[in-house]
Amino acid sequence: MYNIAIVGASGYTGGELLRMLLNHPEVEITDITSRQYDGVEAHKIHPHIRDSGLVFKDKKPSELDADVVFTATPHGASMKIVPDLLETGAKVIDLSGDYRYRDTAVYEKWYGIEHTSDAEAVYGLPEIYREEIKKADLVANPGCFPTGAILSSYPLVKNDLVDRIIIDSKTGVSGAGVSPSQTTHYPNIADNVNPYKISNHRHMSEIQQELKGFEGVKVSFTPHLVPVIRGIQTTSHSFLNKENENITTEELRKIYKKEYGGEYFIKLMDEGEIPHLSSVRGSNFAHIGGFEIDETGRVIMLSTIDNLVKGASGQAIHNMNIMLGLKESMGLEFYGLHP
Amino acid sequence: MYNIAIVGASGYTGGELLRMLLNHPEVEITDITSRQYDGVEAHKIHPHIRDSGLVFKDKKPSELDADVVFTATPHGASMKIVPDLLETGAKVIDLSGDYRYRDTAVYEKWYGIEHTSDAEAVYGLPEIYREEIKKADLVANPGCFPTGAILSSYPLVKNDLVDRIIIDSKTGVSGAGVSPSQTTHYPNIADNVNPYKISNHRHMSEIQQELKGFEGVKVSFTPHLVPVIRGIQTTSHSFLNKENENITTEELRKIYKKEYGGEYFIKLMDEGEIPHLSSVRGSNFAHIGGFEIDETGRVIMLSTIDNLVKGASGQAIHNMNIMLGLKESMGLEFYGLHP
Amino acid sequence: MYNIAIVGASGYTGGELLRMLLNHPEVEITDITSRQYDGVEAHKIHPHIRDSGLVFKDKKPSELDADVVFTATPHGASMKIVPDLLETGAKVIDLSGDYRYRDTAVYEKWYGIEHTSDAEAVYGLPEIYREEIKKADLVANPGCFPTGAILSSYPLVKNDLVDRIIIDSKTGVSGAGVSPSQTTHYPNIADNVNPYKISNHRHMSEIQQELKGFEGVKVSFTPHLVPVIRGIQTTSHSFLNKENENITTEELRKIYKKEYGGEYFIKLMDEGEIPHLSSVRGSNFAHIGGFEIDETGRVIMLSTIDNLVKGASGQAIHNMNIMLGLKESMGLEFYGLHP
Amino acid sequence: MYNIAIVGASGYTGGELLRMLLNHPEVEITDITSRQYDGVEAHKIHPHIRDSGLVFKDKKPSELDADVVFTATPHGASMKIVPDLLETGAKVIDLSGDYRYRDTAVYEKWYGIEHTSDAEAVYGLPEIYREEIKKADLVANPGCFPTGAILSSYPLVKNDLVDRIIIDSKTGVSGAGVSPSQTTHYPNIADNVNPYKISNHRHMSEIQQELKGFEGVKVSFTPHLVPVIRGIQTTSHSFLNKENENITTEELRKIYKKEYGGEYFIKLMDEGEIPHLSSVRGSNFAHIGGFEIDETGRVIMLSTIDNLVKGASGQAIHNMNIMLGLKESMGLEFYGLHP
């Protein structure tokens, strides 16, 4: 049994870590921290988790004694505590944006925060960086939009098939977090579709980093809030480069199958099947489909994930399993909630 | 390992049985039947269940070789196959209404179907009939509304505190099943509340049977369809009889705690807590709260369940665990999906 | 043309007053006030109202020069400005709870605010108090829950048919107002049903006042938040008194027809028809149905209104039309938005 | 007063025509036809429209005596009755796809139906074809997706600024019509996002016709069903051609303002404003915004319409007003339903 601590456990990603880790056979949660809810029982904030016996504590990094620490802390806050956590000997999985960039200048440009930590991190997308994650002490868990976007288009980029990608994403509202605002006010969301930061969402830079956006591929991104609690549906519109303009949909399928065929958490849709949010709701699976090319040479790829699971806490546990040498799917084998 | 068959596996309760049983450590699903989808892979109908290897088959009861058979068949159809299934030596858990009534005349009145089977069944509400379920070969799994209604009010009736109960229930649309109709047409449900069968829903008779409705307590029931996928929220308005008109809310809590304190799947809310559908979404838990008495002597009790889990397939698996002598919570320990 | 001012125009009821009054043929909006948005164009807050030319101003009551003033101000705030408004010679329609009670002690008990104004008001439910409204200078516009509840049950009480009424109401989230909170946070509302203040919501006292709750009829009330933007669906469970226990559903219909037959905004459902929220969405109509009596002597009545229109701003305009001697339906004749 | 008939009045577009025309000051509805509901009162199908006195009749075109006939009939059915209707001397507005194409071969390719009518029609997008509509006897009312798509991008194409446009649209479920199916089954839609016909939806051809898709501009289209009753949110991703790669967002705004500045039903968003579905819900307005250019030279334009109003019945009435020489906005001046 491994001891686990969660720093900043009162938000949605904290709740999801609890939901899944409480049933994980090889870990024990020893600490959940919260400044705001110091002394409050976990189920007062996470009403689905009753009788866990867990209580939020306002603890410092140095007071934690865990094998693995998840930091579900805001951007900018993580880099202030992660170095201390690493010094305790713990492995750390950070769910903020702080360690996701190979070039901290990109981080500083998009997050508007000075980057002050030189801890080395691996980008925690297991399907791409599995070998690096195995050896890492610090994993930067990917953003929710980037997870869905990268998975849908990575094989196209890896194989140099396209020169332009437009990611049009539709996200559930839980991605905005647990704090209420006009953005998450029910009457503003229900029966509505709200595009936002249509040309300059910070996740665009994270997607660009992983899809060769800094090496010649033009990568654009526009997110939309839709009346959904959980889930990100990604539609990726890409344009074949001249060398590959005659590629067939069958060849596309083969390329994806080769890339993802062995991946437990990635399911490729058959012909005629569409990835739905409900198919992955509450689960760590990503469904990928599309594989169509229209008459203008546009490739359409689709993906669905649960933003709080594969897009956050589930992927973090997947990373933990890899870092600890456990079976990758341990504690994450449950299916989506359809309907 | 026990062999399991599901008859009529293409509906929502079939999908839920699959979702949960595929991760149950002590069972193996050997057959899933469907007349309509003979030869079709399970995930074509249940898109969240991929790579299970299961295929629908159009099999007769006598062709099944299972330790436990779940019959997720329509009312009237179950009683035609259950006797044959029992003859194969299987234990049977029937999810239809066919075997829920102690008095078949009540069934015939409310379902308008002649009752032609004399197989003996136990009403499968474990919190009330656990001992009988242990010895049963045939369990009649309770209806979804009755599960939420009975659990919310049973301690009041058992202790003869009230003489009238009005059950006002709000149900998610998955309760109407997998087949589309005007009733389930999105534009008719979204942003709407639709009461139906306001004085004569057949589940009223099932609730009456278990809440002494045939022994002097006046039990009424009105259901409402709300824009929710899963879940039944029950508000029970009861009236204290003269002998108990001075009972306090503290005494009420004690009575419920005594009745349900040891039950794994029942969670009693603390003061100030409200049961939410999200707290039990996708899980087999029932949350019970309320415990208030207003100035007119009305007792207000509340409960929430997932209609497809505690209200159907999860409770069926709970019954299976009891019938097989397994740990009751086996395969059902996952939490609700909040948010 | 009459000059109209709206005090506190930045909330939902303000937006609805604007939506309807801007197309009313006999009025002109001369002032919309807001402390918070002084100088802001109306459409920045109410995005559906563009090019109206209206701008919020932070004006005092004495600075307004209007024939009619709507006060869409919080409870407690209205009574501080209404006397000054009346002194300007304007007729006033107050949308807060401040003037709704015949006995200010009831107000003080339920609102926890000292009542300091002795302006005389008429309770603005036109179907009951039309004649008084015609002569009033100050109308207290009814609460949203009370409007739906009273209309559904008033004929039962007026004709002394019942001795107990339980009002079980389901409301859309716009009733909680324009300010975000955990209560209105999308992930907490969507796919959920949230009962609240189950035994002691302040609207219970307003309903009691109008349904003889202070004269012997036991009147109870429990509200529920449902995932709906607009609308209140009311289910009224009543119990026939001994003198009327043999009344028939046909007689019930006649009684309602006699009471409401001439009312423009009340539509009585035929047999087999259910009032839906969508039938009245965005409109000032109230749909009333039910007319069933179950085997325990329970009468079930149903009503639907749009909480922001018939439950607030539309009813306020209806009151204005009556006070000004205009055609009652003027500016309010549009139908509900179905689907 | 003009006499109006609606052929095929039992669907959503029929209901919307009724909702709006019943309050139109210059028309009287003389006939509403339906084969299926012959003899049924209108409000049994359109519950929001009560006491209209209208009854569905199964009438032939030649039996109608109207100044204007709206044909809300299926694709393929319209062209069989429109010539007969024109012979009665009526002006006809057809809401199907039958007369939308300048080249019937395109229609036949995408609709798979032989085109057998040679009646001449004008494409009824008033903002582009106003002068032609004034003189037309037959107007082909545009499709819902095309209305939102064309309006969002037409100024870009008219001014030859872009060489490629990707239309990514999100539509409410009422666009699928009044008949229930798996596609519209509540549990499949709620909390979900469903892309469909991702590379080959027939509306792509209609969009291409109007956005120079057959004259060199590459126009692609992918629709998504979102959990919304009404509304289409369009995100248009376009790529500036070489001649215009340095255009500024200010210049973009000017171009749109020049094109649409005088249009009653088009509202251009200010900087920082996003078009919402709620802003136009139930109304005939189109909100257009975006006006951003990202670092890859992608232009992002956004539009929102109500698919049943500006995308169907409201635009049809707008066309009627133009054809009859009435004030264009007559009967259509009501605002959207926000929230």
Side-chain angles (χ1 to χ4, degrees), chain D residues 171-244:
Chain D
T171 183
V173 184
S174 59
V178 77
S179 297
S181 68
Q182 282 299 336
T183 300
T184 66
H185 192 48
Y186 185 87
N188 291 339
I189 290 287
D191 229 34
N192 225 336
V193 174
N194 297 305
Y196 67 107
K197 292 183 189 157
I198 59 177
S199 68
N200 57 4
H201 190 286
R202 56 171 57 145
H203 278 175
M204 184 159 69
S205 61
E206 190 180 331
I207 299 167
Q208 287 170 333
Q209 171 179 279
E210 301 300 323
L211 293 183
K212 300 190 184 172
F214 305 140
E215 298 143 57
V217 179
K218 289 184 179 175
V219 177
S220 292
F221 173 59
T222 296
H224 304 71
L225 263 173
V226 289
V228 161
I229 301 174
R230 288 164 175 260
I232 292 177
Q233 188 277 330
T234 303
T235 301
S236 159
H237 311 274
S238 303
F239 302 107
L240 294 167
N241 52 32
K242 288 229 169 110
E243 296 75 21
N244 294 284

Side-chain angles (χ1 to χ4, degrees), chain A residues 83-98:
Chain A
D84 293 344
L85 289 167
L86 289 169
E87 267 196 24
T88 69
K91 290 174 181 292
V92 177
I93 299 162
D94 177 40
L95 283 85
S96 85
D98 285 1

Side-chain angles (χ1 to χ4, degrees), chain B residues 73-185:
Chain B
T73 31
H75 310 303
S78 284
M79 67 174 120
K80 289 186 182 144
I81 58 171
V82 163
D84 293 345
L85 289 168
L86 289 169
E87 266 196 24
T88 69
K91 290 176 182 292
V92 177
I93 299 163
D94 178 39
L95 284 85
S96 85
D98 284 2
Y99 292 98
R100 290 179 192 153
Y101 291 85
R102 285 191 281 279
D103 180 351
T104 55
V106 179
Y107 173 85
E108 294 187 340
K109 173 183 167 189
W110 286 93
Y111 284 73
I113 301 173
E114 192 190 355
H115 202 288
T116 58
S117 162
D118 54 7
E120 268 191 45
V122 170
Y123 189 72
L125 200 59
E127 288 79 7
I128 302 184
Y129 296 105
R130 177 174 281 110
E131 295 310 314
E132 291 85 343
I133 294 165
K134 282 182 187 169
K135 294 172 280 186
D137 287 323
L138 171 59
V139 162
N141 211 57
C144 53
F145 282 125
T147 296
I150 296 164
L151 290 175
S152 73
S153 299
Y154 175 69
L156 299 177
V157 167
K158 186 180 177 187
N159 293 282
D160 292 320
L161 303 179
V162 297
D163 49 22
R164 192 187 253 285
I165 304 175
I166 297 102
I167 303 289
D168 191 299
S169 298
K170 298 88 185 172
T171 184
V173 184
S174 60
V178 77
S179 296
S181 69
Q182 283 298 337
T183 300
T184 66
H185 192 48

Side-chain angles (χ1 to χ4, degrees), chain C residues 44 51 230 267 273 339, chain D residues 44 51 230 267 273 339:
Chain C
K44 293 292 176 188
D51 303 328
R230 288 163 175 260
K267 303 290 184 186
E273 290 181 342
Chain D
K44 293 291 176 186
D51 305 327
R230 288 164 175 260
K267 303 290 184 187
E273 290 180 342

